[in-house]
Amino acid sequence: MLNAGRGSGRLARLFLARNWRNVPCAVSGVSDCVQSTGNVDESRYSGFDGDARRTGVTWALPAAKRKKDQTGAAEISSDDFIYQENFKEGPFLSYKEGRLRGLYKKDKRQEIVTLKFQELYGNLRRVFRRHHRRSGLTVIDNLDGNPTPPAWWKGIVKLMEGSSASNPVAGDSSRSNETKKGCSSLRGLYMYGGVGVGKTMLMDLFVVSSPPEFRVHRAHFHDFMLDIHARLRAHSGTADPLCEVANDISKGCRVLALDEFFVTDVADAMVLHRLFKKLWANDLVLICTSNRKPDDLYAGGLQRDLFLPFIDMLKEACDIHNMESVVDYRKLAHHQSGLYFTGNSSIEGLQSVFENMAGNHTLLSNVPLAVQLGRTLHVPKAAGSVCYYTFKQLCGQAVGAADYIALVGGFHSICLEGVPKITGANRAEAYRLVMLIDVLYDHRARLACSAEVSPVELFENIITQADLPPGGISNMDTEIVVDDNLGFAKDRAISRLTEMQSLEYLVEHANRHAPELLLALAEAQTRKDRTGGQSPLRAAV
């Protein structure tokens, strides 16, 4: 819960205390994605509630202000946790320390999930310890790691969830020690729920808490599937390319963490069943986040009956956990409209931002950018690390995730002109816009845009089948879009567009891509606090 916007002193401390060594973050493809480094000092980064990543800066509330948070709640203590057992290592220790430092809000659902991650952490520890060669020095050997937690502690999660025998606790020995056909002997974790409830943040907490021997790899689902298809093409001359790809992944990865598991492409759907059947047979552990429960994956998709066996295997291989929450933590970030323009002068405002971002860099036109499979994406206007597109150029053409990933690989700041309100006439463009927002957000790219209306109003015409009125809608009403996939995705897109305008997000962008902007952000915030002037997001570009 970064409260950086409340005063120049607190924001200045955030920037001045910055540790210049970044915590590893997600990048494209399994072969390139994050491998846990172990021994991570959690004080090196600041997480904030919701699907937020590390900022890479050190954040600590001053002692005088630590006693109350922004809602006036009492000072956090060790007794403030539902679960009181202490761990010497692992994600729950990192989460608890973060709570005590004021980084996370009290949230029962998040604490439950962190306990599930802690149990998986302990199970992995025990698996690797069995293969550890003993030194022969009993005292030294017994110093390694935590003792096995008491058997009764697993019931704590069950009590917290109010679960019954029909809803077993994650990692329960009656299930986790079974070796299912085609599944790992250790069950993973599939978290689903609404936007901004903390799924990605908690998964990343597990990733950075894991030692190197866990061989944890973290990727966005878009990136993961692009890498899979590229590997399949590379092995096209073998008898069973999919088996070769699964074996390649298993050699370097023991735990696979996938963010935003969301299947819409028929090619992905047809690959997933056989791929993960082999991966689970190789004892891979899967962790993933999603906005949909497993039974709703690829709903309404082509040849979905061929995808259903994957859902059955997923439910056997992972503990399925609903992270229900009424709070979208991303919207608690300080929302400012510094880089999101609407109204008659919106294009002029966007062009002014582009010129400021470009600085003294040479203005280039029609810049070629290499994309997978030898394709080329042409950037109409660029200068330094910023590029400029119209909505039609970036979302109205036959482009996809690979193009957007290539774009953020070449430019960390994107200006997008003329985003229209979504209607039945631009449904295909809406899919690309949602995909673009996901890629930009996952790579912490900076987005400045001019739009017809606010983020919420952009998507208000999109409804799901369940939202249809009893009498249906008129055939003449061409503005309404009845689409379950877009209906599920729109809340995430709105939430992310909102957060991408926040000071906290701009700090993360600067930390990852442009550290020289950090002091500019701090100085602009200071000026705003003193004079009530323009937003620091618009000033520090």
Side-chain angles (χ1 to χ4, degrees), residues 102-139:
L103 299 182
Y104 315 124
K105 291 179 179 293
K106 182 177 181 179
D107 189 310
K108 175 184 174 182
R109 306 299 337 180
Q110 291 184 0
E111 189 170 338
I112 290 172
V113 172
T114 311
L115 283 170
K116 290 177 179 290
F117 274 125
Q118 182 68 36
E119 184 169 12
L120 176 59
Y121 182 97
N123 289 337
L124 286 166
R125 267 293 192 206
R126 285 186 283 279
V127 166
F128 284 103
R129 192 168 292 139
R130 285 200 296 269
H131 299 293
H132 174 65
R133 174 175 289 183
R134 296 301 226 177
S135 67
L137 302 175
T138 305
V139 173

Side-chain angles (χ1 to χ4, degrees), residues 89 125 129 132 134 139-147 213:
E89 61 181 7
R125 267 293 192 206
R129 192 168 292 139
H132 174 65
R134 296 301 226 177
V139 173
I140 292 178
D141 288 333
N142 287 337
L143 289 176
D144 181 34
N146 286 340
E213 58 265 27

Side-chain angles (χ1 to χ4, degrees), residues 25 390 407 468:
C25 53
T390 66
L407 185 64
L468 279 172

Side-chain angles (χ1 to χ4, degrees), residues 49-53 196 198-201 260 330 441 444 496:
D49 296 296
D51 276 4
R53 311 294 202 293
K199 302 183 297 293
T200 300
M201 181 268 290
E260 298 293 353
R330 283 200 290 262
Y441 183 88
R444 282 305 185 265
R496 289 184 166 185

Side-chain angles (χ1 to χ4, degrees), residues 220-516:
H220 191 278
F221 183 72
H222 281 320
D223 298 348
F224 174 74
M225 291 311 301
L226 284 171
D227 184 76
I228 292 300
H229 289 298
R231 288 170 180 257
L232 286 172
R233 290 188 293 271
H235 287 287
S236 59
T238 61
D240 190 345
L242 202 59
C243 184
E244 295 293 334
V245 170
N247 288 336
D248 286 348
I249 294 172
S250 300
K251 288 176 184 176
C253 175
R254 180 69 170 86
V255 180
L256 178 61
L258 295 179
D259 192 27
E260 298 293 353
F261 200 103
F262 184 63
V263 185
T264 57
D265 185 82
V266 63
D268 293 348
M270 296 303 102
V271 164
L272 285 170
H273 178 215
R274 284 197 60 224
L275 173 66
F276 275 93
K277 183 176 183 180
K278 180 64 176 175
L279 289 174
W280 282 320
N282 290 345
D283 278 340
L284 179 132
V285 176
L286 176 66
I287 300 169
C288 52
T289 71
S290 180
N291 293 127
R292 290 193 169 191
K293 60 184 180 182
D295 289 332
D296 288 343
L297 288 172
Y298 197 51
L302 294 173
Q303 298 180 306
R304 188 172 186 262
D305 56 322
L306 300 179
F307 181 75
L308 295 179
F310 168 76
I311 295 177
D312 293 335
M313 293 187 67
L314 176 66
K315 290 191 286 189
E316 290 291 340
C318 295
D319 175 27
I320 310 301
H321 183 73
N322 182 5
M323 255 194 93
E324 58 190 29
S325 175
V326 297
V327 180
D328 181 350
Y329 286 104
R330 283 200 290 262
K331 291 181 179 177
L332 297 183
H334 298 280
H335 175 68
Q336 304 187 46
S337 58
L339 300 177
Y340 191 99
F341 298 88
T342 58
N344 294 332
S345 60
S346 60
I347 295 178
E348 290 81 358
L350 180 66
Q351 290 173 342
S352 176
V353 164
F354 174 73
E355 291 171 2
N356 289 334
M357 289 181 178
N360 296 324
H361 292 284
T362 303
L363 181 63
L364 303 174
S365 300
N366 202 31
V367 179
L369 198 63
V371 186
Q372 282 188 6
L373 296 177
R375 294 173 49 246
T376 301
L377 177 69
H378 291 278
V379 182
K381 190 162 60 174
S385 297
V386 58
C387 64
Y388 193 105
Y389 278 90
T390 66
F391 179 80
K392 184 176 180 180
Q393 289 168 334
L394 195 55
C395 299
Q397 309 295 325
V399 294
D403 301 87
Y404 296 148
I405 290 169
L407 185 64
V408 295
F411 303 94
H412 61 66
S413 297
I414 289 86
C415 294
L416 184 62
E417 175 189 315
V419 180
K421 188 171 183 176
I422 303 304
T423 67
N426 54 20
R427 180 197 302 244
E429 291 89 336
Y431 269 96
R432 297 190 190 103
L433 176 61
V434 169
M435 184 183 300
L436 173 66
I437 293 169
D438 282 344
V439 171
L440 296 180
Y441 183 88
D442 194 59
H443 290 79
R444 282 305 185 265
R446 181 170 51 169
L447 174 67
C449 68
S450 65
E452 184 179 351
V453 289
S454 70
V456 173
E457 293 171 303
L458 281 180
F459 298 94
E460 68 180 3
N461 287 329
I462 299 173
I463 62 174
T464 65
Q465 293 286 344
D467 298 326
L468 279 172
I473 58 174
S474 169
N475 292 332
M476 301 298 292
D477 195 348
T478 58
E479 291 195 348
I480 299 297
V481 181
V482 183
D483 190 307
D484 285 349
N485 286 328
L486 280 177
F488 276 103
K490 74 172 186 178
D491 287 340
R492 182 177 76 247
I494 293 168
S495 178
R496 289 184 166 185
L497 268 179
T498 302
E499 187 193 340
M500 290 167 82
Q501 306 308 313
S502 71
L503 176 61
E504 290 88 344
Y505 183 91
L506 268 292
V507 170
E508 293 193 65
H509 161 267
N511 179 51
R512 184 180 295 193
H513 301 291
E516 67 276 8

